């Protein structure tokens, strides 16, 4: 297999068959006899969906097919290539159009189709030199009955089977056939040949007995195994699947999901099953992954839009264990509409704010949801591009994983999902800026698509950073045109998933993740800058046909003179920012957003809300408060529940060890002699220690700390000594003195300052 990176891997999966686009009616109804709304083209074709799913799983794979010289080909071939499919054996025949299928759902769920497949380019599929070369590199061939559209294609497919078998490879076969096709000349013979030739047979329920003499399930299974087929997997849609080989019979239940579009479930199921088999996984694991793949496919509108990576399948299986239902409506727009109201309310002289929690720490998320629950507000939770992305970011989470992680905590604390607004920060090429711009932007497009698909509704588009060979910061026009490219992706996906995202544009100069200086020196953004940024974005977005989204661009990122260093905080000054905030008078319907408002005083936060910066982003100061509480609890545990095992380190020592072992998250941020560095590592306002709480050793240490204090009511005098901020409340009996509860409370104390600043001034 020749993979996207040019490497050659022995033995992948190959398939032969149709590449199409699908164009779907937007409303259910009967057929296509009047002018109706359509959406598409979506990449489609059973074989293409199948091989795309294999590619997403990172397994070497390729397809033998034929397309025309048109945009429908581009839509499909680019997607396949992007998802890791070898496209070298897709021939281009300029005298034919790429295949297409128009589909409309009837009110009862049946479908009407208008096909152009047989007489499209895909009807010209043959074993070209490139196809033969691909087959030689492959060790498994998958055949779809739906591809056997003509005697010539049947003959070519048979030749491919012979080749793969001679190479010692294996064959799988999914009849995937509509009843009408059975009557075509030579079809039944061809299907019977494929059945006899395959190792793994993957029929839909009704197809099991199509080619057998026996009409019972048991009889047909025995008959087919008797032909030398080594395994049969029967697909029963929402009823799950059944597996039979010579030794065992199993049932695989379906996962419970909201079915949005059934197309492609069987193809994804089959692709994942075959891939897992070739990876040598157990039958039960193959079936579980396959069922997850089929289930995810039906939650997405569009035939190939539901293909998934192993990380996505794992996340899905995990979320199912927690009882979440993917494909259930994303947070309702009414929750996110509060973002649009920020500017309106301010214009009406009644400003209010919203706390934006920028953290992936589970204690912080829990505290944020509990606080929002108490306050009766939505919970806005944001992730940045380096933290969460298609490669996992530094948290190891994709956008969907992050959503499920937040939803999981929401479920635990009884916070309604509809009131969670997820935000994506600095979405753009930043994580890949060491690559050439084109490659970095391609990654950014995938990232934006993933965030939108996962239901994120606050989208910050930031294309300000130069990529390989470019200046550090780009000119406004280039930034805007790259942002428009990402906005187009976001709007397309939003239309598919039925959401209306809100956008933030522009950037303050420092890179995401905080500044590097030890001493903050903060320059307030020049008031002209946001005016120019907005004017150029408006012009470029309009030129690119994105004018409609301008109404949902709600904020511009600026630096209002708010920053924290390691040991000091630059406080917001209304007076110093007056020229900047005055510029909002020329930007009706818009607000400004500061990159971070950590460690600001209650008065400064209230000023920010009033001055037109009502989105109060907070992150490091929340984990800072958490760390203070945990260290205090560790001191308390040392007094009242001393560790018996002398080998076990205290919490601060465990953290020190982790930070010394993996210094990459603090090294470039902290400077000084060893003693100064040690203090910074634990106590800096920059709170780089927050990156180390997810380390398994840290998680274990915190769990152990809670376990030691489990069921213990901490004596008041020790609260007074080590956690004085809670003393009054504990002494008054309004706050239970339990370890975990106090850790969460420490974070909520900070959040309460923000909540108070957000409430409209009386
Ligand atoms: P098609 O040819 O239309 O893609 P198929 O008949 O080949 O469909 P299905 O049985 O519809 O395949 O789907 C394959 C698998 O996907 C099922 O066995 C099941 O595990 C999963 N699946 C399909 N539909 C659903 C659903 N509504 N809910 C959950 N899982 C589903
Ligand atoms: Mg099928």
């Amino acid at each position: 297999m020749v993979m996207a990176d040019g490497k050659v891997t022995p033995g992948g999966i190959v398939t032969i068959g149709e590449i199409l686009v699908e164009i779907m009616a937007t409303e259910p109804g009967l057929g296509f006899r009047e002018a109706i709304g359509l959406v598409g083209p979506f990449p489609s074709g059973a074989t293409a969906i199948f091989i795309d799913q294999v590619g997403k799983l990172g397994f070497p794979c390729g397809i033998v097919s034929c397309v025309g010289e048109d945009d429908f080909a581009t839509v499909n071939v680019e997607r396949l290539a992007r998802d890791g499919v070898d496209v070298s054996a897709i021939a281009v025949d300029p005298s034919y159009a790429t295949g297409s299928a128009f589909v409309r759902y009837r009110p009862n769920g049946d479908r009407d189709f208008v096909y152009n497949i047989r007489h499209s380019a895909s009807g010209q599929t043959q074993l070209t030199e490139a196809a033969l070369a691909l087959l030689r590199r492959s060790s498994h061939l998958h055949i779809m009955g739906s591809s056997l559209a003509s005697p010539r294609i049947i003959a070519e497919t048979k030749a491919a089977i012979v080749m793969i078998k001679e190479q010692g490879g294996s064959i799988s076969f999914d009849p995937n056939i509509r009843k009408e096709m059975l009557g075509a000349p030579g079809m039944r013979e061809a299907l019977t040949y494929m059945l006899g030739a395959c190792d793994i047979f993957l029929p839909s329920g009704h197809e099991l007995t199509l080619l057998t003499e026996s009409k019972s399930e048991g009889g047909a299974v025995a008959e087919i195994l008797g032909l030398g087929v080594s395994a049969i997997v029967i697909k029963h849609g929402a009823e799950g699947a059944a597996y039979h080989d010579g030794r065992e019979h199993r049932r695989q239940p379906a996962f419970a999901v909201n079915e949005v579009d059934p197309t492609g479930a069987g193809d994804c199921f089959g692709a994942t099953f075959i891939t897992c088999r070739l990876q040598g996984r157990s039958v039960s694991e193959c079936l579980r992954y396959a069922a997850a793949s089929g289930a995810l496919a039906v939650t997405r509108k569009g035939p190939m839009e539901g293909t998934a990576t192993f990380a996505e399948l794992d996340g899905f299986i995990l979320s199912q264990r927690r009882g979440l239902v993917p494909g259930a409506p994303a947070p309702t727009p009414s929750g996110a509409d509060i973002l649009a109201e920020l500017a309106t309310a301010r214009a009406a002289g009644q400003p209010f704010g919203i706390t934006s929690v920028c953290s992936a720490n589970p204690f912080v998320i829990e505290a944020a949801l509990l606080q929002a629950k108490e306050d009766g507000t939505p919970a806005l939770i944001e992730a940045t591009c380096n933290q969460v992305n298609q490669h996992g970011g530094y948290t190891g989470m994709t956008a969907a994983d992050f959503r499920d992680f937040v939803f999981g905590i929401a479920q635990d604390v009884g916070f309604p999902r509809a009131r969670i607004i997820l935000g994506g920060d600095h979405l753009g090429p930043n994580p890949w800026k060491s690559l050439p711009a084109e490659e970095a932007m391609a990654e950014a497009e995938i990232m934006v698509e993933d965030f939108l698909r996962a239901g994120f509704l606050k989208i910050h588009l930031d294309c300000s950073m130069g990529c390989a060979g470019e200046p550090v910061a780009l000119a406004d026009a280039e930034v805007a045109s790259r942002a428009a490219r990402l906005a187009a992706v976001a709007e397309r996906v939003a239309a598919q998933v039925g959401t209306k995202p809100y956008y933030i544009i522009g950037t303050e100069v420092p890179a995401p993740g905080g500044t590097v200086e030890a001493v903050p020196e903060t320059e307030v953004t020049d008031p002209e800058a946001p005016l120019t940024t907005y004017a150029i974005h408006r012009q470029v977005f309009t030129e690119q046909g994105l004018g409609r989204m301008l109404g949902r661009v709600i904020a511009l990122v600026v630096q209002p003179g708010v920053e924290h260093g390691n040991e000091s905080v630059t406080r917001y000054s209304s007076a110093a920012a007056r020229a900047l905030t005055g510029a909002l008078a020329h930007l009706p319907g818009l607000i400004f957003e500061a990159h971070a408002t950590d460690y600001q005083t209650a008065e400064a936060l209230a000023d920010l809300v009033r001055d037109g910066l009502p989105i109060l982003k907070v992150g490091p100061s929340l984990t800072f408060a958490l760390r203070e509480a945990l260290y205090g609890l560790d001191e308390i545990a040392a007094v009242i529940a001393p560790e018996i095992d002398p080998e076990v380190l205290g919490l601060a020592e465990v953290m020190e060890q982790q930070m010394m072992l993996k210094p990459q998250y603090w090294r470039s941020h902290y400077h000084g002699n060893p003693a100064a560095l040690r203090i910074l590592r634990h106590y800096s306002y920059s709170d780089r220690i927050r990156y180390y709480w997810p380390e398994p050793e840290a998680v274990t240490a915190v769990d152990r700390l809670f376990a030691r204090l489990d069921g213990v009511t901490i004596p008041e005098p020790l609260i007074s000594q080590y956690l004085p901020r809670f003393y009054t409340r504990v002494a008054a009996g309004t706050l239970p003195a339990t370890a975990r509860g106090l850790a969460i409370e420490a974070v909520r104390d900070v959040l309460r300052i923000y909540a108070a600043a957000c409430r409209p001034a009386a």
Side-chain angles (χ1 to χ4, degrees), residues 448-486:
V448 167
E449 170 152 6
D450 285 357
F451 271 75
L452 268 292
R453 263 192 213 297
F456 283 61
L457 290 176
K458 177 175 181 285
I459 301 295
H460 174 206
L461 299 174
D462 180 2
C463 296
S464 56
M465 282 86 184
C467 299
E470 296 180 332
V472 179
L474 301 176
D476 270 344
E478 183 58 29
V479 173
S481 95
R482 288 182 190 183
R485 206 172 132 178
L486 299 185

Side-chain angles (χ1 to χ4, degrees), residues 15 63 80 91 93 121 131 177 203 359 374 400-401 445 564 618 634 643:
T15 189
I63 181 168
L80 293 175
D93 187 335
I177 187 132
S359 177
E374 183 177 291
D401 296 337
E445 287 186 342
H564 60 267
V618 55
D634 197 46
E643 188 63 73

Side-chain angles (χ1 to χ4, degrees), residues 203-533:
S204 297
H206 68 277
E207 292 166 343
L208 175 70
T209 52
L210 214 57
L211 304 165
T212 55
E213 271 171 31
S214 172
K215 294 302 157 199
S216 74
E217 175 161 341
V221 165
E223 199 177 320
I224 293 167
L225 291 175
L227 293 173
V229 174
S230 57
I232 307 172
V233 192
I234 310 161
K235 296 168 285 174
H236 292 292
E239 250 89 79
Y243 171 90
H244 308 273
D245 63 19
R247 273 162 292 130
E248 56 173 336
H249 305 289
R250 283 171 182 267
R251 298 229 157 244
Q252 170 66 45
F255 290 99
V257 295
N258 263 14
E259 183 178 296
V260 174
D261 179 354
T263 310
D267 312 327
C268 291
F269 179 99
T272 301
F273 184 84
I274 301 291
T275 304
C276 290
R277 274 306 284 259
L278 293 178
Q279 289 179 328
R281 295 177 192 261
S282 69
V283 171
S284 68
E285 204 177 6
C286 294
L287 286 170
R288 186 165 56 242
Y289 273 125
S293 188
L296 268 183
V298 307
T299 64
R300 305 284 154 81
K301 189 169 177 156
M304 202 193 279
E305 308 307 307
T307 56
T309 62
F310 270 118
E312 286 164 339
L313 296 179
D314 286 333
F316 170 78
I317 293 169
L318 199 72
S319 69
Q320 283 272 327
R321 281 200 202 120
R322 290 196 185 141
L324 304 176
V325 181
T332 54
S334 68
D337 282 346
I338 192 171
L339 297 174
E341 289 162 22
L342 292 167
T344 330
R346 180 165 183 267
Q350 292 172 322
F352 68 91
I354 184 165
T355 310
S356 159
V357 173
C358 306
S359 177
N361 183 293
F363 294 109
V364 169
I365 305 285
E366 181 174 336
L369 296 176
L370 287 170
Q371 193 55 42
K373 194 174 167 184
E374 183 177 291
D375 297 337
T377 59
L380 170 58
I381 299 182
E382 306 215 40
T384 72
C385 58
N386 290 319
Q387 201 174 26
V388 164
N389 61 46
Q390 60 266 38
H391 304 296
Y394 64 72
T395 59
M397 284 190 269
T398 62
D401 296 337
F402 185 78
R403 172 202 60 198
D404 292 343
F405 160 73
V406 173
F407 280 6
I409 298 172
Q411 174 128 327
D412 293 343
V413 304
F415 188 81
R417 235 184 263 180
R419 270 181 30 218
I420 298 174
I421 308 167
L422 296 174
D425 231 354
H426 293 288
L427 303 189
N430 186 52
W432 304 281
K433 63 176 183 255
S434 61
L435 300 175
E438 194 41 47
E439 286 172 45
M441 281 300 291
E443 289 279 8
E445 287 186 342
I446 298 172
M447 173 161 62
V448 167
E449 170 152 6
D450 285 357
F451 271 75
L452 268 292
R453 263 192 213 297
F456 283 61
L457 290 176
K458 177 175 181 285
I459 301 295
H460 174 206
L461 299 174
D462 180 2
C463 296
S464 56
M465 282 86 184
C467 299
E470 296 180 332
V472 179
L474 301 176
D476 270 344
E478 183 58 29
V479 173
S481 95
R482 288 182 190 183
R485 206 172 132 178
L486 299 185
V489 172
E491 287 291 280
R492 173 174 57 75
V493 179
Q496 286 169 14
V497 299
T499 53
K500 290 240 179 293
Y502 290 99
Y503 296 95
I504 319 294
I505 56 172
T507 195
E508 81 300 1
V509 181
T515 49
V516 177
E517 289 97 72
V519 183
E521 194 182 300
T522 312
E523 260 180 52
V524 177
T525 304
D526 182 325
E528 286 298 323
L531 297 177
T532 314
T533 300

Side-chain angles (χ1 to χ4, degrees), residues 77-143:
V77 176
E78 283 188 355
R79 170 72 69 86
L80 293 175
R82 188 189 92 184
D83 289 346
V85 178
D86 181 338
V87 296
S88 62
I90 302 174
V92 178
D93 187 335
S95 44
Y96 290 87
T98 301
S100 59
F102 287 73
V103 57
R104 186 176 197 190
Y105 282 85
R106 295 186 173 202
N108 68 1
D110 289 350
R111 294 176 282 186
D112 286 313
F113 287 102
V114 175
Y115 285 118
N116 168 31
I117 301 179
R118 217 177 118 103
H119 301 289
S120 76
S122 93
Q124 303 306 307
T125 301
Q126 49 189 307
L127 298 185
T128 58
E129 271 312 310
L132 293 171
L134 175 63
L135 285 163
R136 278 193 291 274
R137 299 194 293 270
S138 304
S139 61
H140 183 92
L141 171 64
H142 180 74
I143 297 153

Side-chain angles (χ1 to χ4, degrees), residues 72 97 183 543 699 726:
F72 288 177
E543 282 166 6
V699 172
F726 300 125

